[in-house]
Amino acid sequence: MGQFNVALSCRWRRDMYATRTLAAYIGDCAAENLTAGVKEKTLCCMLDLVTAAIAGYETPSAAAVRSVAGHLFGPGPSPVWFSGQTLNSTGAAFCNAAAASALDLDDGHRAARGHPGAAVIPAALAVAGDITCSRDEIVTAIALGYEVGVRIAAAQNPNAIRSRQSGRWVGYGAAAAAGRLSGATPARLSQALAIAGVLAPNQDANGSSGYSKLTGNDVKEGIPWSVATGMTALHLAECGFTGPEDILDHASHFDTSSIVGYLGKPGKIEGTYFKPYSCCRYIHPAIDALSDLETRHRVTHHEIAMIEVEIFAWALQLGNRVNPENLTDIQYSLPYCLAIAAIEGRQALAPINVNLLGRQDLADFAHKVRLLVDSEIDRRFPAETLARVTMVSKTGESFVSPVTTPRGDVGRPMHWTDIRDKFLEITARKTSEKRQVMLLDGFEQFRRGDTAPLLARLAQPLA
């Protein structure tokens, strides 16, 4: 594939739909266009996503998806990770996305306000299980999937597209990555993007931006189904099915110029953040701030009378239940996650498990947490997710944190060694040391250009 003509994006006109411009870009962007930083970040995203999928594999939601996928989707060679089973690429990606997004441990992107990795990487690796792909082809497809998904997500007009959940847009990224690897023509890929955008789950009811108040459910971000619709859109387009190619060309819903402008070397993936804790990113800065205060001032949870969290307004729209009924409730409760960090330590959030439910001591501590909106912190959202924590002891002494950026953000990054440590810590509870070594070796061989060992080891059962 040749060098993408950057001038194409500059020539974008009202008679050239954005889906067509993106499709041409996806097909023409050469692997040589990827910078060393983008390649390294892509490898980090892959290892981080596999870590999240291992953590989420045994959750009831992921198990339900695997049970249903066997009936909904046809057989094929693509592995359902860690199960020993295979399906066609759409079914496998559906299952693997469900495991990866189950515990909110997957990566995210501030510009998109959502989670590209749990969609793009399962889609790309599922196609790679169907056909022979080189390392450079896989890495390029993943980087392009992030590029397309993040550009479209960041361009959404919130007045028209009120739901900010990832399911609204990750299907574009899944279709882009899968279409690149499968060699879809620009005409078919343009149609696939249009179809994926229409068939995506609307998510209007769910999540922090939805109208439903019952956020403790498995629908959550809608990522797995968006992956399934995105990849199905690609198959439909290949069979001549069509969609509205002008879907991204209406100022009422999208800032089209930001979607197609300056399409050169893909770099959006470098803005990805990683999550050390399996809960909503909105909660992370408060966890880090509180833990730092406890360590610095040597205060234990027994000595804390009250915690005040100054944060952005969107954090107050989470469920924030002090008596969570399930793991998803925990993921969206700032007070309860702070209670876990204070009493059990931050490691108990990596990942969360059912033993944290029904704990009166955690519920009692969560009642001590007050949430307030700080105007400056709110102004800096969504570009930054920040928090300031005040911890008041039972003797009346107050300890105040600085405005805190969460660990894993671009300004406070986690690199390959950090992601590797996260993998080792989290998967130690899920599999053997031998399997950990084999998976990491698979990544090292992938890094050197041999894709087969990693794909084979993802297919093997964890036990």
Side-chain angles (χ1 to χ4, degrees):
M1 296 182 181
Q3 170 83 28
F4 177 70
N5 183 4
V6 178
L8 178 62
S9 64
C10 300
R11 295 201 309 268
W12 175 79
R13 304 183 306 272
R14 284 294 171 191
D15 59 349
M16 178 180 285
Y17 302 127
T19 57
R20 294 184 182 179
T21 301
L22 289 175
Y25 172 65
I26 293 163
D28 287 345
C29 184
E32 293 76 23
N33 280 3
L34 270 61
T35 66
V38 166
K39 293 176 183 177
E40 181 64 18
K41 189 77 173 194
T42 302
L43 288 169
C44 287
C45 289
M46 291 173 66
L47 177 57
D48 187 75
L49 197 279
V50 168
T51 303
I54 292 174
Y57 179 80
E58 294 179 341
T59 58
S61 61
V65 168
R66 288 194 298 275
S67 178
V68 168
H71 300 288
L72 289 182
F73 301 97
S78 295
V80 176
W81 296 343
F82 322 123
S83 71
Q85 301 172 324
T86 60
L87 290 171
N88 67 19
S89 57
T90 301
F94 181 45
C95 294
N96 299 334
S101 60
L103 290 176
D104 220 339
L105 196 59
D106 47 315
D107 70 29
H109 200 288
R110 285 264 47 85
R113 291 176 65 177
H115 306 278
V120 172
I121 294 171
L125 294 186
V127 173
D130 247 345
I131 60 178
T132 301
C133 302
S134 71
R135 177 206 59 191
D136 287 348
E137 289 171 334
I138 294 172
V139 169
T140 302
I142 291 172
L144 287 169
Y146 275 71
E147 190 77 17
V148 169
V150 170
R151 279 175 175 262
I152 292 173
Q156 294 175 116
N157 181 348
N159 294 322
I161 305 174
R162 293 183 174 85
S163 172
R164 309 300 297 182
Q165 307 313 303
S166 303
R168 292 297 301 263
W169 55 269
V170 292
Y172 292 109
R180 165 70 183 218
L181 279 181
S182 62
T185 66
R188 296 304 190 198
L189 188 48
S190 175
Q191 290 290 350
L193 293 172
I195 297 164
V198 174
L199 298 185
N202 66 42
Q203 293 296 116
D204 283 348
N206 220 40
S208 59
S209 57
Y211 62 79
S212 172
K213 301 303 180 185
L214 302 177
T215 55
N217 55 71
D218 294 330
V219 175
K220 216 168 42 165
E221 290 273 346
I223 293 171
W225 195 251
S226 192
V227 172
T229 56
M231 295 188 70
T232 300
L234 191 62
H235 294 303
L236 288 169
E238 291 291 351
C239 293
F241 198 86
T242 61
E245 288 185 281
D246 69 341
I247 188 171
L248 303 175
D249 298 301
H250 297 270
S252 59
H253 285 69
F254 293 97
D255 176 9
T256 309
S257 61
S258 69
I259 296 175
V260 298
Y262 305 102
L263 284 171
K265 295 180 178 181
K268 296 296 185 186
I269 195 170
E270 290 195 276
T272 304
Y273 63 74
F274 299 115
K275 301 175 70 175
Y277 320 120
S278 59
C279 58
C280 178
R281 189 57 167 181
Y282 295 179
I283 301 172
H284 285 223
I287 294 171
D288 286 334
L290 175 61
S291 297
D292 290 345
L293 283 178
E294 288 181 303
T295 300
R296 185 181 312 122
H297 299 288
R298 299 181 181 180
V299 175
T300 70
H301 66 275
H302 299 290
E303 301 170 277
I304 297 175
M306 189 267 286
I307 292 173
E308 184 177 273
V309 180
E310 297 172 87
I311 201 162
F312 43 90
W314 274 91
L316 274 64
Q317 297 188 44
L318 300 177
N320 290 324
R321 298 188 62 177
V322 296
N323 290 290
E325 296 180 359
N326 52 57
L327 292 180
T328 307
D329 274 345
I330 294 178
Q331 293 169 37
Y332 292 101
S333 175
L334 197 160
Y336 204 81
C337 286
L338 286 189
I340 294 170
I343 295 174
E344 297 292 338
R346 286 183 287 189
Q347 73 281 355
L349 290 160
I352 55 175
N353 62 65
V354 294
N355 295 330
L356 296 170
L357 293 168
R359 289 269 301 272
Q360 191 59 47
D361 59 335
L362 295 174
D364 290 342
F365 192 96
H367 276 100
K368 299 178 182 180
V369 179
R370 294 178 55 205
L371 305 179
L372 303 172
V373 175
D374 178 274
S375 59
E376 175 59 19
I377 290 174
D378 192 52
R379 184 188 66 79
R380 293 165 67 176
F381 179 83
E384 299 174 272
T385 49
L386 308 171
R388 181 191 296 109
V389 170
T390 299
M391 180 176 66
V392 181
S393 72
K394 291 180 179 178
T395 62
E397 192 172 7
S398 293
F399 307 96
V400 182
S401 78
V403 173
T404 301
T405 297
R407 190 158 58 98
D409 259 20
V410 175
R412 195 180 172 187
M414 294 170 66
H415 301 293
W416 176 262
T417 54
D418 303 303
I419 302 301
R420 183 178 181 275
D421 289 345
K422 174 183 171 180
F423 167 85
L424 290 171
E425 177 184 351
I426 288 173
T427 61
R429 310 174 197 181
K430 304 293 182 180
T431 191
S432 67
E433 184 178 349
K434 180 180 179 180
R435 285 284 286 129
Q436 287 181 309
V437 171
M438 288 176 63
L439 279 166
L440 287 175
D441 178 68
F443 273 98
E444 289 302 326
Q445 292 193 60
F446 184 91
R447 183 188 287 273
R448 295 193 293 268
D450 187 357
T451 64
L454 176 60
L455 296 177
R457 289 166 193 178
L458 289 175
Q460 297 168 354
L462 284 177

